[in-house]
Each structure stands twice: as C-alpha cells, then as structure tokens.
Amino acid sequence: MRILRYILSVACVAMLTTSCVVSRAILYGDASVDDYRAFEQENIAKGDYTFRFAESERMLDTMRFEWMHFGRGEMAQMTIDEAIAPSVDNAAILIIHRDTILYERYFGEWSKCTQSQIFSVTKTITAMLCGVALTEGHIRSVEDRVTEYLPELKQADPMFGELKIKHLLDMTAGLDFDENYSFNPFSKMAKLYMGRNTMRIIEQTKFSHKPGERYDYNSLTTAILGVVIERATGMPYAEYLSSKIWQPLGME
C-alpha cells in the first residue's frame, strides 16, 4: 500500500506541475480505442440521404471454419463466434460483400452505437481529402512544396523547403519522429497524440534525412497533410470531410 500511495502521489504532482500533454498522457495511459474521451470533438455532419447495406440470411453466423483453437493449440472446426469470442474483451466485426452485410457481431460491452478511436484509418481519409482538394484545384500538384501552404515552416528548418505533398502521402518525409505508442508522456508521439497545438509540434520537429530518400511510417506526416488541406481549402477538416466525402457517400 505504501508503494501504491507513493506512485499515486508522484502521478498527482506530475499532473499538477507539468504540461497538459504529460498530465493527459498519465491520466489516459497507453493508446486505446477509448481515447476519444480524451479529445475535443467535432461532428461530421451527415446529409439528407443515408445509404443502407442490404441484409443477407447471415449464413456466416452458423458456418463452421477451420481455426486454431486458442486453448488446445490445434486446428478445430468452429463458427466465427466460437473462434473469436474467447480471445477478445471488446470488439466489433463486420463482413461486407459488395452491398450486402454477411456478418455483424459485437463482443463484450460494444454495440453498433459504441464510439471508438479509429487511429490510422485517419491516414486513408486524409489522403482521400487531399485527392479531392487536388481535383478541385485547391492544391495544384503533389509536387507542390509544403511551405507554399505553410510558409511559417521556412523559419523552422530549411529542410521544410524540400518537403513536398507527395512525400507526406507516401511517408517519405524524412522527419525525425518515432512512431512509438509505448507509455512515455514526454515523447514526441505523446505530444502529437495528446497535445492541442499541432503546428508547434511540426515547427519543433527536425529531419533525420532528406525528404524522398526512404519510407518511414509516421503519423506526423498525416498531421502536416491535414493542416495543408485546411489552409488550401480554407475549411475546417471536419467540415471539408462532411461535404466532400461523408454526405456524398450517404454515410450515417
């Protein structure tokens, strides 16, 4: 109990005396699907029309497949439910073929109304929005330099002058940024993930190598691309997503 009190005391002091990022990182811990609670949120407005998938007889509910049995360590004939349920706490699985839902299940406390963090799905959505901005002429070309849209980066590091939009899209930006979600409230990842001032983080980031030299998966490239899209279109990210993708596709 004495050790537990000591840990709690240190955590409380840290939350009171350090930055908002550190306190939030300590409070919420490792990255989780429940982290939406930690962030300010904007609504992606739906339109008047919403698309509905067709419903099938759900044959996948009862069909048996060969799976590795988690308990016995051998292959066994099981339904999808029987194979997955013992190994998960909270999860959702949706299988769609063409326009028809073939399988839909929610495990643990989850339901179709459960909110969830979507993490790197955002990278795909942001790349799609970049494509829309290119089509509409807000962004002239993927060869455009990022500093044409974020001129303040010229003062942050001369290397930003060589960074192009295509480097953000294909993850060859050359940024000195470690995509590490381990619990470290002082890391660059924690600052990007839990921080509220994205531009400050971008401006403080240096380069480990020249843009275009090699592939290096990291979330900061997508964060920069998101800011570029907002500057180029003159619209908030959520509003642009709603009007150009969400509503036209009939998403709920």
Side-chain angles (χ1 to χ4, degrees):
M1 287 297 295
R2 183 178 299 174
I3 295 175
L4 178 60
R5 286 198 297 269
Y6 175 77
I7 294 173
L8 290 174
S9 298
V10 170
C12 289
V13 170
M15 292 174 67
L16 291 172
T17 60
T18 59
S19 71
C20 179
V21 172
V22 174
S23 63
R24 279 151 59 88
I26 292 174
L27 178 63
Y28 290 99
D30 289 345
S32 163
V33 291
D34 296 324
D35 283 347
Y36 66 88
R37 300 170 300 171
F39 307 115
E40 298 173 2
Q41 298 183 36
E42 292 184 80
N43 288 325
I44 310 298
K46 67 177 182 179
D48 296 330
Y49 158 77
T50 54
F51 174 81
R52 290 281 182 173
F53 285 102
E55 299 282 342
S56 76
E57 296 179 6
R58 304 289 178 90
M59 290 185 295
L60 290 183
D61 291 358
T62 55
M63 289 179 66
R64 303 183 76 80
F65 303 88
E66 260 201 357
W67 302 82
M68 176 63 70
H69 193 284
F70 288 100
R72 298 195 297 266
E74 59 187 30
M75 299 301 291
Q77 293 283 331
M78 293 180 282
T79 64
I80 298 177
D81 285 7
E82 291 169 343
I84 295 174
S87 64
V88 297
D89 294 321
N90 293 307
I93 300 177
L94 185 67
I95 299 176
I96 298 170
H97 181 246
R98 296 180 178 173
D99 66 346
T100 303
I101 296 175
L102 301 182
Y103 180 85
E104 183 175 8
R105 278 291 186 274
Y106 303 92
F107 299 93
E109 299 175 358
W110 277 31
S111 73
K112 63 174 58 182
C113 297
T114 302
Q115 274 189 280
S116 173
Q117 190 82 320
I118 61 172
F119 293 106
S120 290
V121 174
T122 309
K123 292 181 172 69
T124 300
I125 295 172
T126 305
M128 291 169 65
L129 285 179
C130 182
V132 174
L134 280 159
T135 301
E136 294 185 335
H138 298 297
I139 296 175
R140 293 179 299 277
S141 167
V142 294
E143 296 290 339
D144 286 356
R145 299 181 186 279
V146 169
T147 50
E148 295 179 45
Y149 302 90
L150 309 178
E152 61 267 45
L153 293 182
K154 294 178 181 178
Q155 308 301 320
D157 189 317
M159 194 71 77
F160 275 112
E162 298 186 35
L163 182 62
K164 299 179 179 180
I165 290 175
K166 69 177 184 180
H167 298 142
L168 303 177
L169 288 166
D170 62 15
M171 298 278 176
T172 59
L175 297 167
D176 184 13
F177 185 87
D178 183 16
E179 184 82 4
N180 187 342
Y181 286 90
S182 62
F183 181 68
N184 179 359
F186 301 98
S187 69
K188 292 180 182 178
M189 189 68 232
K191 291 177 182 178
L192 177 65
Y193 189 54
M194 289 292 184
R196 290 191 171 98
N197 191 334
T198 302
M199 277 306 300
R200 180 185 299 171
I201 298 164
I202 296 170
E203 291 171 349
Q204 292 176 347
T205 300
K206 302 301 180 183
F207 288 76
S208 60
H209 52 275
K210 290 182 62 174
E213 281 190 352
R214 66 175 185 265
Y215 173 83
D216 182 26
Y217 181 92
N218 75 72
S219 295
L220 189 59
T221 58
T222 305
I224 297 173
L225 185 59
V227 180
V228 167
I229 291 168
E230 287 195 329
R231 293 282 185 89
T233 62
M235 295 175 65
Y237 186 101
E239 186 179 331
Y240 197 58
L241 172 58
S242 173
S243 63
K244 302 302 178 181
I245 295 178
W246 212 257
Q247 293 186 28
L249 290 179
M251 293 183 175
E252 291 186 282

